[in-house]
């Protein structure tokens, strides 16, 4: 595992997603056996990196920590951490592609100086075609689609890049690729939503040409709908707080 190797070599990893950054911070905490949360001490170690990646990230003082740790249990979870990174615009995608089923074709390589924008897994060479290329047998006559999609042949563009399907043709593992989507675009929305298409990666606003990956429309709400929403909040809200979870 990449993060484990970096830890063993005492080397700072190249972060390709918010999730990887959180997992690295989490791995630095040796005081808690429970995963999925980070202490202030472990975050403090990586805070200079967070400040470098984000915009106007302040020092991690008591006031900021209390804001992050809103329930006062001494830890922050991934949701709280993602809220921080979104607020300060860290230039990394969330990295939840395996959970949100982003297409592999939309995964960009996060390795420094790599220009790969679309993950393309390497296919193994057809053993018959490989023998034929060495003059040790006849060419492959299997034309079935499942065979052709699983194995590469001399006339395929990836014949020279054969190998592990979890390895991209750019030479880097799939784990080092992540969706370029961020904010609202990182979550697939129903196609019938009026602004769903504007939340796709690469979409721009019609006005100033800036990224349009967030919902901004504020539609008029009828009196009846307002009453129904108010009734929902009134019936479900409970004024109970706790300092643990």
């Amino acid at each position: 595992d990449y993060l484990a190797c970096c830890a063993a070599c005492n080397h700072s990893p190249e972060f390709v997603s918010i999730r990887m950054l959180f997992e690295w911070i989490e791995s630095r905490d040796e005081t808690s056996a429970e995963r999925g949360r980070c202490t202030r001490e472990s975050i403090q170690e990586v805070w200079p990196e967070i400040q470098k990646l984000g915009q106007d990230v302040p020092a991690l003082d008591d006031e900021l920590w209390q804001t992050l740790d809103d329930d006062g249990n001494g830890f922050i979870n991934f949701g709280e951490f993602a809220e921080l990174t979104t607020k300060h615009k860290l230039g990394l995608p969330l990295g939840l592609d395996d959970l949100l089923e982003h297409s592999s074709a939309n995964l960009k390589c996060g390795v420094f100086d790599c220009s790969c924008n679309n993950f393309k897994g390497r296919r193994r060479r057809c053993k018959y075609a490989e023998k034929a290329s060495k003059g040790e047998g006849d060419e492959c006559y299997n034309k079935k689609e499942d065979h052709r999609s699983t194995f590469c042949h001399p006339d395929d563009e990836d014949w020279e890049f054969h190998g592990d399907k979890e390895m991209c043709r750019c030479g880097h593992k799939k784990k080092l690729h992540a969706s370029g989507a961020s904010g609202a675009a990182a979550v697939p929305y129903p196609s019938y939503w009026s602004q769903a298409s504007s939340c796709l990666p690469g979409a721009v606003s019609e006005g100033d040409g800036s990224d349009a990956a967030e919902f901004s429309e504020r539609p008029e709400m009828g009196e009846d709908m307002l009453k129904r929403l108010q009734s929902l909040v009134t019936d479900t809200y409970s004024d109970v707080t706790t300092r643990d979870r």
Side-chain angles (χ1 to χ4, degrees):
D1 183 80
Y2 176 63
L3 294 181
C5 291
C6 288
C9 297
N10 196 27
H11 177 76
S12 180
E14 292 186 21
F15 300 109
V16 300
S17 69
I18 300 300
R19 183 183 180 184
M20 176 185 282
L21 178 58
F22 182 81
E23 289 177 349
W24 174 253
I25 297 172
E26 182 185 40
S27 69
R28 312 301 288 171
D29 180 20
E30 300 178 352
T31 63
S32 175
E34 185 174 344
R35 300 291 86 187
R37 61 184 194 176
C38 299
T39 63
R40 177 175 177 175
E41 290 72 21
S42 59
I43 293 179
Q44 187 72 63
E45 289 186 32
V46 191
W47 197 253
E49 184 71 20
I50 295 175
Q51 290 180 304
K52 183 173 68 174
L53 293 170
Q55 298 180 13
D56 301 322
V57 182
L60 184 57
D61 54 19
D62 293 341
E63 182 179 357
L64 179 58
W65 177 253
Q66 290 176 5
T67 301
L68 297 176
D69 181 24
D70 58 355
D71 59 0
N73 68 348
F75 302 91
I76 67 169
N77 56 33
F78 180 73
E80 293 167 329
F81 183 72
E83 184 177 354
L84 165 74
T85 59
T86 300
K87 178 180 179 181
H88 292 287
K89 299 180 180 179
L90 265 71
L92 296 173
L94 278 177
L96 303 179
D97 314 299
D98 55 334
L99 303 179
L100 300 175
E101 300 182 351
H102 281 294
S103 169
S104 293
N106 294 326
L107 302 184
K108 298 181 180 181
C109 186
V111 175
F112 182 71
D113 271 352
C114 183
S115 60
C116 173
N117 290 320
N118 298 293
F119 175 84
K120 293 182 179 180
R122 298 182 177 184
R123 295 182 295 174
R124 290 183 296 161
R125 285 181 175 179
C126 169
K127 62 180 180 181
Y128 302 106
E130 187 166 25
K131 287 183 178 179
S133 67
K134 298 177 181 179
E136 299 175 357
D138 296 330
E139 63 180 282
C140 175
Y141 295 102
N142 192 336
K143 305 299 182 182
K144 291 183 178 180
E145 184 177 350
D146 59 342
H147 175 77
R148 290 284 171 170
S149 62
T150 304
F151 303 99
C152 61
H153 296 74
D155 55 345
D156 293 326
E157 62 176 9
D158 57 337
W159 176 255
E160 299 300 326
F161 301 97
H162 67 286
D164 186 356
K165 64 180 181 180
E166 293 297 312
M167 179 73 74
C168 182
R169 297 174 197 177
C170 72
H172 303 120
K173 290 184 177 181
K174 186 176 182 180
K175 287 185 177 181
L176 294 178
H177 291 69
S179 169
S182 61
V187 180
Y189 289 94
S191 59
Y192 57 83
W193 284 19
S194 60
Q195 289 189 295
S197 60
S198 68
C199 288
L200 295 174
V204 296
S205 64
E206 296 179 359
D208 56 7
S210 59
D211 291 344
E214 297 292 341
F215 289 96
S216 58
E217 183 181 349
R218 304 184 72 175
E220 293 293 330
M221 183 180 298
E223 187 68 25
D224 179 62
M225 178 59 71
L226 184 60
K227 289 181 179 180
R228 291 168 62 184
L229 288 174
Q230 182 60 60
S231 177
L232 174 65
V233 174
T234 302
D235 292 343
T236 59
Y237 175 73
S238 178
D239 188 15
V240 177
T241 57
T242 179
R243 296 191 67 80
D244 58 1
R245 292 180 178 174

